[in-house]
Amino acid sequence: MLWEVEIRPSAHEIDREGLRIVQEAHDLRASTISQVESARSFLLQGTSLNAADIKRAASMLLVDPVAERFEIREVSEGEVTVSNSMKSATLLNVMYKPGVTDNVATSTQKALIDLGFTVDTVATVRKYWFEASVSTSDLDRVTKRVLANDAVERVISGPIRMSKIGAGSDYQFQLRTVPIRTMDDHALKDLSKYGQLYLSLTEMQTIKQHWVDQQRDPTDIELETVAQTWSEHCSHKTLKGRIRYRDESGEHVFENMLKETIFGATVEIRRRLGADDWCVSVFKDNAGVVKFDDKQHVCFKVETHNHPSAIEPYGGANTGIGGVIRDPLGTGLGAKPILNTDVFCFAPPDTPVASLPPGVLHPKLVMKGVVSGVRDYGNRMGIPTVNGAVFFDERYLGNPLVYCGTAAMIPVDRVEKTVHPGDLIVAVGGRTGRDGIHGATFSSAELTQESETISGGAVQIGNAVVEKMVADVVLQARDLGLYHAITDCGAGGFSSAVGEMGEEVGAVVWLDKCPLKYTGLSYTEIWISEAQERMVLAVPPDKWDEFHAICEAEGVEASAIGQFGNAGRLRLTYHGETVGDVAMSFLHDGRPHVTRDAFYTPPGETPLGGVAATNRNLSDHLNTTLKKILGSLNVCSKEWIIRQYDHEVQSGSVVKPLVGVACDGPSDASVVRPDLTSYRGVVVSNGMNPHYGDSDPYWMAAAAIDEAVRNCVAVGADPARIAILDNFCWGNTERAETLGSLVRAAIGCKDTAIAFGTPFISGKDSLNNEFSYVDAETGEKRTVAIPSSLLISAIGQVADIRRCVTMDLKKSGNILYLVGVTRAELGGSHYALVNQLKGGRIPHVDMSVAPRIFSAVHKSIELGLIRSCHDLSEGGLAVAASEMAFAGGFGVELELSQLAKASGLSDPASLLFSESTTRFLIEVEPAQSSRIEKEFAGLPLTQIGQVVSSGRVRATLENGQLLLDQECAELKAAWQSPLAWD
Amino acid sequence: MASPRVCVLRAPGTNCDVETAYAFDSCGGRSDRVHLFRLIERPTLLDDYQILCIPGGFSYGDDIGAGVVFSSQLRGHLGDVVHQFLTADKLVLGICNGFQTLLKAGVLPYGAAGWGKSDRSEADATLTWNHNGKYTARWVHLTVGGSKNVFLRDISELDLPIAHAEGRLVPRSADVVETWRNQHQIAIQYAPWAAGSDGASNPINDRWEANPNGAVAEIAGLSDPSGRVLGLMPHPERFLFATQHPQWTRLNLEGSGAGLKLFQNGIDYFA
């Protein structure tokens, strides 16, 4: 019997979901939709269930007795539902497609069984009633754009008529082989493309030759294993490969580009540090590890989940954060997550709907979905999301970027891991389903308008509570020493996890022992499924019983699915039959090496173009510009996002993402205390500016590192203990120019990291971030490539959190100093952006002075000389001063003649809006002015004004020439309004 | 007397258990983080404890509704031991998801008197979606009203953070609130932020309503009539140290945070 329990808000409650749909319909200009009613419902299936059971289930568990009302019905009857207030209405039911994870349904089924009900299957449904007068086209648009995502959901119109629910099917084992030995190049290319292997012809030829040598055809699972191991996502073959790079200063051939730039910088820094080296494990595990205190090290990793988020933003972001949390959990013998950080790049949310290419979700919908996905996963995990950024550019249309990061703590004696031959291969956590097939290979391909159809299976929805339960038991087992090694199951599923862990010793995997969500999976699907919330461990046989008991005690499933140690070969079996047998050496070292060309041609510097303001309207121009920058999407307040994230769970919060007199000023970085018995703190921040990359990726990289470091230093981090991560999201690097700009950025990373003594400890790249479609009018193929997007994420440390400072001004009468050198660097700036100016010089980092400035700021904070500190970034001095003023509820009076003299600049726009790096605005009590000047002896420090209680931001030049005069309240409103959604 | 023992009861998805246990321990308690499954296996385990605390988190993912499955487990498997606990001279504290669980299980609003129903169809109140329809993390100002709740002794007002989506307390009818008032059950209420030392109005009041979720009668926490059970949406375990306050750098706050006193009161009850 199949029953439905339909649940609606009770009479005195608001139908929030209905109202949300009306609002979204309004945003889409679906003008015939003015009223929507909603319900949630459960479908319960069980042979012996009767009406009395269903009523009891509803009142014991499913329905809130105060806020909701319900009705039940038997589904097979197909009875027509008429909503109370809409006599003849159109009903739409939204359900997950079979096989997509439905967390609520799973929990409900378990809880009902616990209460004694015999329920075989549960599904959840969202129901919507529209007025009969709604136009078909409006209904269609709202269905596609708001109600349901076709990648994971289906829509049933009218009453649900079905006799059963469930995803299982029969599976008849049949060993499949692929006749690759007889394929010509054309056939190999087709196999790569249509088999979703996404390998190059050379690689396909190498695979063919391998099996010619073996004198047999490969099985499908063998081919999939090679494709996964060799995928860009898993092997990073482009950046770790041989690259012939040429720029204005000549040609250089890299044998391993990353090793010689990013990683090379770390090697050099560690060499210089000698005995004081504080790096522990870099570039070899799932996350980078550095020293924290005598008891613990800190780990950090940032990942991207771009392609899945483009197709299904909620699930993509959900599993993005879920995936990066598993990285530190799978680092060493397991680290405990303490914070998350998220950086997103979207096209502007006000992009006209009509201008969207086919197959593209609207950027506002993408943004809302991504934020909800991160929120629901991070909050449920009990990990505070304390830091982030959002960057907007039209070129992220169809290809949004979602960077998710996690920092974690690991005991100092749990960093090393070694798989021993004979260890059981143990899978822990979620079951394996048909979700996430081909994620690793798909993420390495270019998105097209058909991606949704082809690769919908690559998209999944996470279950945070399962991952939380896994983390709980893994950390217990770690402390008891019950396993030798652990890694996460991410892209490539078991294939990747077992393949990596068993690289040295080999492995035998019994695929039929993997627990499945439902029947019907083939042996290959089991092997490459990227179902979420799974970890793989190497458990010695004599510890297996104890390990299993710990998992079982908290309801976590653990299964032995094979054994490590097979003389360097990977053997896969299904019910005793060998379905795959490959040498690990071929998987990991068999990939052909190609030399890629990379060119970089500097675009050449042009003067900043545009209309110069005359003296008469100069002040108007500057005032307007300031307000425009504060209200620009990249600078404006992100409070709408931040307040949906729990940033205080675990009780370690010290500096929050929003600070000040009304708790709404933008923090430079966040600080948390991972150990409540110690005052030592962890600091997290980021730096990114794709606009500079359009001029020169070298200086973009330098500026991003400078920004991440100065954000950290601004709250009190010790610059000698900041570690960073690189995260390259680029366009199609098959083009030599695109790869050239990436190499250029990597060289910038190397030089800056060495100059700052700031080591890279881990990194990630995501290439092929392009979206292509066929223009409906011209029939031509168009491609949108993202701007070169390098995210630098910094993890800092502060010796005593009680010394931390925030960016909000504290007291009227205090002195404001500008730290650092201001230059005429308006290229790529927000001044140029809001005034639509091209050209100009982008900021360059003074590599010798910058580290000394960071040290002096840090020392002054430690001495308690600085009351507030804010870094200068987008919008320069004027924006930083405004933010400090309105965050503190004060005003500022700036007098820039000294700055003009010190910088040699007469142009007020440069003085106010230049984005020169390594600069801070600091607030100092008058009594401390001589001490602060002493700390900065020999370094650029300019007194530029004071804190006033006027509630205005004013700036003047010599002779009292007025440059800026604005109400803080107005500036704040401009800054807060763009993304104040509800 | 020896330090009181605290059972910090965690279920799948509970995520504030570590810091809540830390809070009790730093006040002289001896807490264990006990998994619900252990208690279901051996319910008499609960007899060893003087304080039962259900901490925050997303028990069972809040999949059917906040605290729904956890509360169903308490009702279904632990009826007798919870009844004994409530009738003994012992304390119960539910924070955030713990409050949602206590209310939906029937431990609150009426403590021992209301315990023992097999379902919720007659329930007097619920905690449901915030008026703004979203999960919201911010700080609130709270006043302690006419209750005699043990955990709130000598506290008149304090700032604490909230972080929840389903924190709006809704009664079945207006009479219910009257009953609570008469029985001194309205323990903690959301209130406007205090004026600055110079008498100027607090700017937080200009941007945020005092009541963050639309709860009836501004109620942030409920006591049972005996004063030995407390459920509250704000998180006292997130204000154990001055440095957790959102304005500690402005107000030059030092030492411990105001939330610590709740835990101290619980421990001191057994002194």
Side-chain angles (χ1 to χ4, degrees):
Chain A
M1 299 279 272
L2 183 58
W3 294 86
E4 178 174 18
V5 181
E6 183 182 295
I7 305 166
R8 296 175 186 237
S10 59
H12 52 81
E13 284 285 314
I14 300 165
D15 182 352
R16 255 167 261 286
E17 176 68 359
L19 291 179
R20 180 181 78 87
I21 304 303
V22 171
Q23 181 59 48
E24 301 275 359
H26 177 79
D27 288 353
L28 284 175
R29 304 215 163 78
S31 55
T32 61
I33 296 175
S34 58
Q35 198 194 346
V36 179
E37 291 185 12
S38 81
R40 61 191 184 107
S41 92
F42 292 91
L43 298 180
L44 309 176
Q45 183 171 291
T47 40
S48 62
L49 290 173
N50 60 38
D53 292 333
I54 301 300
K55 270 192 185 136
R56 227 157 40 85
S59 63
M60 286 179 83
L61 191 75
L62 304 178
V63 183
D64 188 294
V66 178
E68 294 175 324
R69 62 206 157 97
F70 72 99
E71 49 191 270
I72 67 164
R73 71 178 65 89
E74 209 183 316
V75 171
S76 50
E77 291 170 6
E79 174 189 330
V80 177
T81 317
V82 178
S83 76
N84 294 342
S85 57
M86 287 193 271
K87 287 290 176 243
S88 64
T90 306
L91 165 62
L92 295 180
N93 303 275
V94 182
M95 296 179 72
Y96 285 118
K97 287 181 172 172
V100 176
T101 309
D102 184 341
N103 295 325
V104 174
T106 310
S107 294
T108 304
Q109 187 178 355
K110 280 191 191 151
L112 285 172
I113 289 169
D114 181 69
L115 288 168
F117 294 93
T118 45
V119 184
D120 301 333
T121 316
V122 177
T124 61
V125 185
R126 290 183 287 122
K127 304 174 79 100
Y128 301 94
W129 288 267
F130 294 82
E131 291 164 299
S133 56
V134 167
S135 80
T136 320
S137 66
D138 279 357
L139 196 60
D140 192 48
R141 260 193 310 155
V142 167
T143 302
K144 281 207 183 101
R145 298 213 183 267
V146 181
L147 293 189
N149 185 322
D150 194 45
V152 289
E153 290 166 323
R154 58 181 165 155
V155 178
I156 300 167
S157 180
I160 300 173
R161 292 168 194 273
M162 52 175 71
S163 54
K164 76 185 245 312
I165 48 175
S169 60
D170 291 334
Y171 172 65
Q172 287 289 330
F173 171 71
Q174 197 191 352
L175 185 63
R176 295 182 53 209
T177 55
V178 182
I180 198 169
R181 289 179 296 167
T182 57
M183 288 184 178
D184 60 12
D185 286 354
H186 185 74
L188 288 174
K189 275 189 191 165
D190 279 358
L191 175 62
S192 173
K193 187 174 176 191
Y194 299 112
Q196 294 185 55
L197 305 177
Y198 300 119
L199 293 173
S200 71
L201 179 60
T202 322
E203 288 163 337
M204 292 302 290
Q205 288 165 336
T206 305
I207 295 170
K208 174 180 166 181
Q209 187 57 47
H210 177 77
W211 264 281
V212 167
D213 296 345
Q214 306 287 309
Q215 298 179 343
R216 67 175 174 92
D217 280 328
T219 62
D220 57 344
I221 200 169
E222 289 173 328
L223 211 48
E224 292 279 4
T225 306
V226 178
Q228 170 273 312
T229 314
W230 292 6
S231 69
E232 183 63 58
H233 190 94
C234 295
S235 74
H236 304 279
K237 57 196 171 192
T238 301
L239 303 192
K240 286 184 178 168
R242 191 178 295 149
I243 294 177
R244 191 185 309 117
Y245 170 74
R246 204 170 65 225
D247 65 11
E248 75 274 23
S249 48
E251 186 176 294
H252 182 84
V253 178
F254 294 94
E255 285 303 314
N256 176 331
M257 198 277 291
L258 278 185
K259 198 172 172 184
E260 291 160 53
T261 55
I262 306 279
F263 186 51
T266 303
V267 170
E268 174 60 17
I269 291 165
R270 296 183 77 177
R271 191 189 62 76
R272 291 184 189 180
L273 284 168
D276 295 329
D277 178 20
W278 47 278
C279 293
V280 177
S281 167
V282 294
F283 291 101
K284 63 174 193 189
D285 210 330
N286 291 312
V289 186
V290 298
K291 288 182 183 173
F292 181 69
D293 63 14
D294 294 344
K295 288 181 282 183
Q296 302 189 95
H297 298 317
V298 61
C299 319
F300 195 30
K301 178 72 176 189
V302 175
E303 283 268 10
T304 54
H305 222 219
N306 307 333
H307 286 39
S309 303
I311 290 175
E312 212 290 271
Y314 181 86
N318 206 242
T319 51
I321 186 80
V324 80
I325 292 167
R326 289 194 299 278
D327 274 324
L329 196 60
T331 293
L333 290 168
K336 184 191 178 208
I338 55 158
L339 65 85
N340 290 333
T341 167
D342 304 288
V343 174
F344 311 134
C345 301
F346 303 117
D350 54 359
T351 304
V353 176
S355 72
L356 293 178
V360 168
L361 297 176
H362 192 272
K364 187 169 178 182
L365 197 72
V366 173
M367 181 167 163
K368 284 186 168 181
V370 165
V371 170
S372 313
V374 168
R375 173 194 67 202
D376 289 353
Y377 209 101
N379 291 352
R380 275 176 174 70
M381 282 300 292
I383 303 169
T385 297
V386 298
N387 173 259
V390 191
F391 205 91
F392 295 91
D393 189 290
E394 286 162 7
R395 290 168 286 176
Y396 295 115
L397 190 68
N399 207 135
L401 303 184
V402 174
Y403 299 90
C404 297
T406 301
M409 306 306 290
I410 188 166
V412 293
D413 60 354
R414 289 290 185 272
V415 178
E416 296 302 327
K417 58 181 163 195
T418 316
V419 172
H420 297 214
D423 285 349
L424 293 170
I425 303 172
V426 174
V428 176
R431 291 189 157 211
T432 300
R434 201 168 273 134
D435 38 356
I437 302 280
H438 283 138
T441 52
F442 159 64
S443 70
S444 310
E446 175 191 23
L447 285 171
T448 69
Q449 65 193 81
E450 279 95 29
S451 292
E452 197 176 297
T453 336
I454 297 170
S455 311
V459 176
Q460 315 152 69
I461 290 167
N463 187 336
V465 169
V466 170
E467 186 146 307
K468 171 74 170 113
M469 292 163 72
V470 168
D472 288 348
V473 295
V474 159
L475 295 177
Q476 287 175 48
R478 174 197 73 184
D479 293 341
L480 293 168
L482 299 184
Y483 55 86
H484 286 145
I486 180 170
T487 200
D488 67 303
C489 236
F494 288 137
S495 175
S496 169
V498 176
E500 279 177 29
M501 288 177 87
E503 183 175 349
E504 304 296 327
V505 298
V508 179
V509 182
W510 317 310
L511 292 165
D512 50 294
K513 301 289 186 204
C514 303
L516 304 180
K517 289 181 180 174
Y518 35 80
T519 55
L521 270 72
S522 74
Y523 59 89
T524 302
E525 287 174 315
I526 295 169
W527 181 235
I528 62 169
S529 161
E530 298 175 7
Q532 294 291 304
E533 289 92 27
R534 300 178 304 168
M535 301 293 290
V536 176
L537 294 89
V539 179
D542 62 326
K543 301 277 204 253
W544 166 240
D545 286 345
E546 197 183 345
F547 180 84
H548 187 260
I550 282 185
C551 293
E552 200 175 29
E554 302 203 357
V556 175
E557 197 162 16
S559 315
I561 62 160
Q563 198 158 23
F564 286 110
N566 180 35
R569 291 189 75 81
L570 174 67
R571 191 153 67 87
L572 309 170
T573 69
Y574 187 77
H575 289 294
E577 195 152 345
T578 297
V579 294
D581 188 354
V582 199
M584 286 289 190
S585 58
F586 178 64
L587 288 176
H588 293 283
D589 307 315
R591 186 164 46 76
H593 289 279
V594 291
T595 302
R596 286 185 170 75
D597 279 318
F599 304 140
Y600 179 77
T601 316
E605 224 170 86
T606 53
L608 190 69
V611 189
T614 64
N615 267 341
R616 197 170 53 79
N617 62 17
L618 177 67
S619 165
D620 285 351
H621 168 70
L622 297 172
N623 278 315
T624 310
T625 298
L626 173 58
K627 220 186 223 175
K628 274 192 192 164
I629 296 178
L630 284 166
S632 68
L633 287 167
N634 297 331
V635 174
C636 76
S637 171
K638 309 298 184 298
E639 185 161 8
W640 178 81
I641 300 174
I642 296 167
R643 296 261 168 235
Q644 296 188 59
Y645 295 156
D646 187 345
H647 39 263
E648 296 179 273
V649 62
Q650 298 189 15
S651 289
S653 174
V654 176
V655 174
K656 300 181 204 304
L658 294 166
V659 296
V661 67
C663 301
D664 57 3
S667 246
D668 290 312
S670 281
V671 183
V672 303
R673 184 151 66 130
D675 175 356
L676 300 182
T677 64
S678 154
Y679 287 114
R680 197 166 176 82
V682 169
V683 186
V684 62
S685 67
N686 63 75
M688 179 170 181
N689 199 327
H691 287 161
Y692 299 159
D694 295 335
S695 293
D696 190 338
Y698 179 94
W699 290 114
M700 171 183 77
I705 294 174
D706 190 272
E707 183 181 12
V709 169
R710 71 178 185 260
N711 275 325
C712 251
V713 169
V715 296
D718 178 356
R721 271 294 175 98
I722 297 174
I724 51 178
L725 309 177
D726 62 279
N727 222 307
F728 291 90
C729 286
W730 243 252
N732 184 354
T733 46
E734 295 291 321
R735 277 196 306 269
E737 295 76 15
T738 307
L739 186 57
S741 72
L742 192 155
V743 174
R744 180 87 162 185
I747 297 170
C749 284
K750 178 188 179 184
D751 293 350
T752 315
I754 292 175
F756 286 14
T758 303
F760 283 99
I761 57 169
S762 186
K764 185 78 187 177
D765 56 83
S766 164
L767 310 179
N768 284 317
N769 286 289
E770 304 197 348
F771 177 80
S772 66
Y773 64 99
V774 176
D775 190 302
E777 282 177 19
T778 62
E780 284 168 22
K781 180 177 164 171
R782 292 183 186 279
T783 298
V784 185
I786 62 161
S788 305
S789 306
L790 170 65
L791 172 69
I792 299 291
S793 308
I795 190 98
Q797 302 180 25
V798 49
D800 185 343
I801 50 122
R802 292 169 296 184
R803 289 286 172 210
C804 286
V805 299
T806 53
M807 52 71 69
D808 47 314
L809 293 180
K810 304 296 189 302
K811 198 175 155 198
S812 180
N814 282 350
I815 299 172
L816 294 171
Y817 288 95
L818 180 65
V819 175
V821 178
T822 305
R823 302 184 193 86
E825 292 175 323
L826 287 170
S829 70
H830 268 59
Y831 175 83
L833 185 77
V834 304
N835 289 308
Q836 294 168 320
L837 309 178
K838 299 264 179 245
R841 182 182 146 117
I842 62 166
H844 290 201
V845 176
D846 184 332
M847 306 243 181
S848 64
V849 176
R852 293 172 52 217
I853 291 180
F854 292 137
S855 293
V857 171
H858 173 61
K859 191 170 169 216
S860 304
I861 288 177
E862 277 209 316
L863 291 169
L865 302 179
I866 294 181
R867 283 296 283 138
S868 69
C869 178
H870 196 19
D871 93 302
L872 270 59
S873 53
E874 286 97 340
L877 171 63
V879 165
S882 304
E883 289 175 345
M884 291 173 83
F886 60 64
F890 290 102
V892 293
E893 187 76 46
L894 303 178
E895 206 285 301
L896 303 182
S897 51
Q898 245 195 77
L899 180 63
K901 212 170 295 164
S903 62
L905 294 172
S906 55
D907 165 30
S910 291
L911 290 172
L912 289 170
F913 299 112
S914 165
E915 297 182 7
S916 296
T917 55
T918 330
R919 293 185 306 156
F920 301 85
L921 192 53
I922 59 174
E923 176 192 1
V924 177
E925 288 181 7
Q928 307 289 3
S929 62
S930 57
R931 286 183 70 193
I932 201 91
E933 283 165 21
K934 198 177 130 235
E935 289 303 326
F936 280 87
L939 289 171
L941 179 81
T942 316
Q943 186 173 332
I944 61 160
Q946 58 174 339
V947 182
V948 293
S949 56
S950 65
R952 299 187 79 81
V953 171
R954 274 171 51 90
T956 53
L957 258 182
E958 263 175 316
N959 316 323
Q961 184 194 355
L962 190 65
L963 301 179
L964 289 177
D965 187 13
Q966 297 258 293
E967 284 247 21
C968 281
E970 251 181 70
L971 294 174
K972 187 173 180 177
W975 179 74
Q976 287 185 321
S977 60
L979 295 177
W981 296 342
D982 254 314
Chain B
M1 184 177 165
S3 331
R5 296 191 60 187
V6 184
C7 172
V8 176
L9 186 60
R10 67 191 177 98
T14 297
N15 62 32
C16 301
D17 47 323
V18 173
E19 55 268 38
T20 304
Y22 172 86
F24 279 112
D25 291 348
S26 63
C27 294
R30 270 193 304 150
S31 59
D32 295 316
R33 297 187 298 118
V34 179
H35 198 285
L36 175 63
F37 295 177
R38 299 292 80 67
L39 205 54
I40 290 175
E41 282 163 14
R42 198 159 70 81
T44 52
L45 205 62
L46 193 59
D47 299 341
D48 299 342
Y49 296 93
Q50 284 77 50
I51 300 176
L52 168 64
C53 176
I54 303 185
F58 287 81
S59 54
Y60 295 91
D62 282 358
D63 279 340
I64 303 172
V68 166
V69 178
F70 197 168
S71 66
S72 153
Q73 303 263 310
L74 288 181
R75 270 202 313 271
H77 297 288
L78 299 168
D80 291 344
V81 288
V82 170
H83 182 258
Q84 284 161 25
F85 204 94
L86 290 171
T87 47
D89 189 16
K90 293 182 171 183
L91 302 179
V92 179
L93 177 65
I95 302 167
C96 197
N97 196 237
F99 180 24
Q100 292 162 335
T101 302
L102 291 179
L103 186 76
K104 293 179 184 182
V107 172
L108 280 170
Y110 305 117
W115 180 247
K117 304 255 167 54
S118 72
D119 71 37
R120 298 182 57 216
S121 49
E122 304 300 315
D124 257 359
T126 195
L127 284 159
T128 188
W129 278 87
N130 298 346
H131 256 321
N132 67 7
K134 340 180 259 239
Y135 186 96
T136 301
R138 55 165 266 206
W139 279 63
V140 293
H141 186 66
L142 299 160
T143 54
V144 174
S147 97
K148 295 167 295 195
N149 193 282
V150 169
F151 290 100
L152 300 171
R153 284 179 180 169
D154 303 322
I155 301 176
S156 59
E157 58 181 325
L158 76 168
D159 302 336
L160 289 179
I162 57 147
H164 61 244
E166 298 175 56
R168 177 169 53 100
L169 186 67
V170 180
R172 187 175 285 281
S173 69
D175 302 351
V176 170
V177 181
E178 237 4 76
T179 306
W180 293 343
R181 213 181 296 278
N182 294 335
Q183 300 191 132
H184 306 291
Q185 289 181 254
I186 301 178
I188 312 179
Q189 287 169 290
Y190 303 109
W193 290 67
S197 52
D198 55 354
S201 79
N202 193 311
I204 297 180
N205 295 327
D206 298 337
R207 61 189 302 254
W208 283 336
E209 285 184 58
N211 183 339
N213 52 33
V216 67
E218 278 69 58
I219 297 172
L222 274 180
S223 172
D224 79 326
S226 79
R228 286 185 282 106
V229 181
L230 178 68
L232 76 168
M233 289 313 298
H235 285 272
E237 85 285 7
R238 296 184 185 182
F239 192 23
L240 305 176
F241 313 99
T243 50
Q244 290 170 308
H245 193 278
Q247 297 179 334
W248 71 272
T249 58
R250 308 183 60 76
L251 306 172
N252 299 316
L253 302 181
E254 289 174 8
S256 57
L260 193 67
K261 179 73 176 156
L262 271 92
F263 300 97
Q264 193 67 58
N265 281 335
I267 298 301
D268 290 350
Y269 184 69
F270 298 97

